[in-house]
Amino acid sequence: MGSKSIAHEVATNHDILRFGLDGIKGDIVGSHPLESLRETARRNLDEKKLLITDLTYGSAFNLKMDFDKQILSRFQRPPGMLPSSMLGFEALTGGLEDFGFEDYLNMPQDSESFRPPDMHNGMEVRLGLSKGPVCPSLF
């Protein structure tokens, strides 16, 4: 009889003052069904676009586009008050044309519980010196 258990690291270094209370609800609860459906539809559309450009321009064009995506996806500002806009990456992938829920719903910066990101902690996480989120949330 195999007992089902949830893997949870109890002995990890979780800084409660920096990251807030730790919970496993986010690990258990999956994504919303519409979110997964939207993601699969986007993935299928991207595969179709790759096939069309491969047949039209050749495989070298797709390789160049892939290199450009890799370069533009790595460009980011250091963590701090100004978030990275990733404008070049969005222009290349067509993300500027998408109008998602986050574009017209509440901005996280406008909420009362927003805490600005800690630049010191963000650079530690980015360089691999500490674990945890780059921008801690209140809840």
Side-chain angles (χ1 to χ4, degrees), residues 46 49-54 57-73 88-95:
D46 290 341
K49 284 182 181 179
L50 280 176
L51 180 65
I52 290 172
T53 56
D54 189 24
Y57 300 112
S59 61
F61 184 76
N62 282 338
L63 288 174
K64 181 188 176 302
M65 292 284 286
D66 189 36
F67 287 141
D68 290 343
K69 284 180 188 177
Q70 289 177 11
I71 291 169
L72 291 173
S73 67
F89 181 72
E90 288 180 0
L92 185 66
T93 59

Side-chain angles (χ1 to χ4, degrees), residues 5-55:
S5 65
I6 299 171
H8 186 65
E9 298 177 11
V10 177
T12 59
N13 304 3
H14 181 74
D15 190 0
I16 294 175
L17 294 176
R18 190 181 282 181
F19 302 120
L21 296 175
D22 192 21
I24 59 171
K25 181 180 177 184
D27 299 337
I28 296 173
V29 177
S31 62
H32 194 272
L34 284 179
E35 186 178 359
S36 62
L37 183 66
R38 183 179 176 205
E39 187 62 34
T40 57
R42 182 178 307 220
R43 202 174 314 123
N44 290 339
L45 183 64
D46 290 341
E47 289 175 5
K48 286 180 185 178
K49 284 182 181 179
L50 280 176
L51 180 65
I52 290 172
T53 56
D54 189 24
L55 294 174

